[in-house]
Amino acid sequence: MALATGVSVRLSWMLPIACAVLICGFGVGVARGQGAAQDEVQNGPTASDQAMADEATVVYRHARAANTEAGATLKQKEIATRRGPSRTAEAGAATTTDNDQLRYPGDLTFNGGAVVRVAESHPIFLLPKTNTKCAGPACWGNPEGFLRDLNGSEFIHITDQYVGATANNRYPVGGHKLISYTPTPKTHPLTDNDMIAVVHAVALATGQTGYAHIYHVFLPPGQDECFMAGGGPCYSPDVPSTFAFCGYHSSVDFMDIGHVLYSVEPFQNVGGCSVRPGTPNGQLIDSTNNTLSHEQFETITDPDGTAWFNFTSVALTFAEIGDECSFFVVLPTSPTTFSAFFDPSVAMIGSHTYAVQPEYANNEHACGSNP
């Protein structure tokens, strides 16, 4: 099923991105649970969810470029359609041991749009029916644990200056959702329209929409995903010519449940998206959290593409809080080959040490892991 022509899209491509697509059937059910609680399975996404996705308006979509040749070809944000007047949002200790203090891009500009002052995160994990090795959240490391640590950290307070709030614990983590589905081949990658259908199914069931909730959709190893069917930026490690992004955040207006914020995190422990070797928790955990952190900060400070981004530097035009501090390093992978890796900063976030990128702080005019 191709992406419906009725979807109105305002795309934003920041740095590298590219792709192609087609939807294959989602299998079965959304399992809802938290911690070790028994999952409660319900049907979804349904034909109704897909219909709502087809009729939805994608307000904003902003991708994190992969460290690939395809990613390097698209460097300018493209806006396909404009919204009406900017929305106003109803709101809704880290010690660095790396060199993020030495990184100075350019200040962000406020453009009048909505920000996220308080929100609960909701992880959604797509579990392939054919891969029993990826049977739960551990397939991605421990993203829920990272989000909880981030919520209780000093690091998250970098957002204070942008959202006008200073309270602790503003971004807690809700229960995760598990979706069993049939993986699609690289010739028919999933699309953002599929992600929208998944998010609709979960948000409709929970009744949790608006700026007070952020959904994070995690894709399993081997699952490609593109913005649109038949063309557009892709996450496709097995198709290098279209492999342009590692993740993205987006906002969408549904006709029935209204405004919803979400991000998509494909599997990060692959060339082009992984962090450099030798990070504290290993490449699986730190690569997942590195992109998750990037998308969380950007959703908070620029959920609809109308709030905080760079509007003063030609080189950084439309860069968001995470884009300005998304650094990479080229390292040898054999005596004759080299690869690019994300180059995060090592910091204590909450109660654990992580390797994730710093974020841009206007009040310091630099990238940092401390407010």
Side-chain angles (χ1 to χ4, degrees):
M1 177 177 178
L3 179 67
T5 57
V7 177
S8 173
V9 182
R10 177 152 74 89
L11 296 181
S12 87
W13 302 346
M14 190 63 227
L15 308 168
I17 30 195
C19 126
V21 236
L22 187 63
I23 173 176
C24 189
F26 274 92
V28 203
V30 176
R32 294 189 292 156
Q34 188 169 10
Q38 179 67 42
D39 289 329
E40 177 187 344
V41 179
Q42 64 180 40
N43 293 329
T46 64
S48 177
D49 294 317
Q50 190 62 60
M52 287 294 102
D54 292 343
E55 296 176 358
T57 298
V58 176
V59 177
Y60 182 63
R61 190 161 53 208
H62 183 85
R64 184 187 199 191
N67 296 313
T68 62
E69 185 175 347
T73 61
L74 295 173
K75 295 181 180 292
Q76 185 177 7
K77 175 190 266 185
E78 176 175 321
I79 299 176
T81 60
R82 292 184 61 87
R83 288 199 59 81
S86 297
R87 293 165 173 267
T88 55
E90 293 298 331
T95 302
T96 59
T97 59
D98 211 332
N99 65 342
D100 60 273
Q101 299 96 327
L102 303 178
R103 299 168 171 178
Y104 302 93
D107 284 0
L108 305 178
T109 299
F110 183 56
N111 295 274
V115 294
V116 178
R117 295 183 177 89
V118 178
E120 186 175 58
S121 287
H122 306 281
I124 303 173
F125 300 99
L126 268 62
L127 304 180
K129 295 179 181 179
T130 56
N131 184 359
T132 56
K133 293 182 179 179
C134 190
C139 184
W140 293 266
N142 186 18
E144 291 170 283
F146 171 74
L147 287 172
R148 291 189 183 96
D149 273 336
L150 182 62
N151 177 52
S153 71
E154 288 297 316
F155 186 29
I156 195 65
H157 284 284
I158 287 178
T159 64
D160 294 2
Q161 62 197 284
Y162 302 112
V163 304
T166 60
N168 295 326
N169 302 307
R170 300 196 309 268
Y171 305 105
V173 184
H176 64 243
K177 322 301 179 195
L178 306 179
I179 296 180
S180 175
Y181 85 111
T182 301
T184 64
K186 65 182 181 180
T187 53
H188 299 295
L190 295 177
T191 69
D192 185 47
N193 193 253
D194 300 331
M195 303 299 99
I196 292 172
V198 168
V199 169
H200 180 272
V202 175
L204 178 66
T206 63
Q208 296 172 320
T209 61
Y211 291 96
H213 300 277
I214 303 170
Y215 294 92
H216 300 287
V217 183
F218 293 86
L219 303 182
Q223 180 59 65
D224 290 359
E225 194 254 359
C226 299
F227 279 178
M228 294 178 289
C234 294
Y235 166 89
S236 55
D238 46 3
V239 185
S241 62
T242 63
F243 182 18
F245 67 79
C246 293
Y248 59 93
H249 71 96
S250 186
S251 62
V252 61
D253 283 338
F254 291 105
M255 296 182 66
D256 56 345
I257 60 175
H259 200 59
V260 176
L261 308 179
Y262 69 98
S263 74
V264 176
E265 283 82 20
F267 191 69
Q268 297 297 299
N269 194 19
V270 297
C273 294
S274 64
V275 300
R276 64 180 187 271
T279 57
N281 306 296
Q283 285 178 291
L284 170 63
I285 292 175
D286 287 327
S287 296
T288 298
N289 295 337
N290 186 46
T291 291
L292 176 58
S293 180
H294 178 105
E295 302 304 343
Q296 180 80 334
F297 273 88
E298 292 193 341
T299 301
I300 290 168
T301 57
D302 195 27
D304 298 323
T306 56
W308 288 96
F309 53 86
N310 192 302
F311 207 65
T312 59
S313 168
V314 173
L316 295 171
T317 298
F318 300 120
E320 295 180 335
I321 186 174
D323 300 320
E324 295 208 359
C325 305
S326 185
F327 303 103
F328 72 94
V329 62
V330 177
L331 298 173
T333 52
S334 78
T336 58
T337 60
F338 295 81
S339 295
F341 300 90
F342 284 116
D343 185 24
S345 296
V346 176
M348 181 68 70
I349 299 175
S351 58
H352 297 89
T353 299
Y354 295 98
V356 299
Q357 70 160 86
E359 302 293 336
Y360 192 80
N362 275 7
N363 59 1
E364 297 291 339
H365 309 293
C367 298
S369 299
N370 278 307

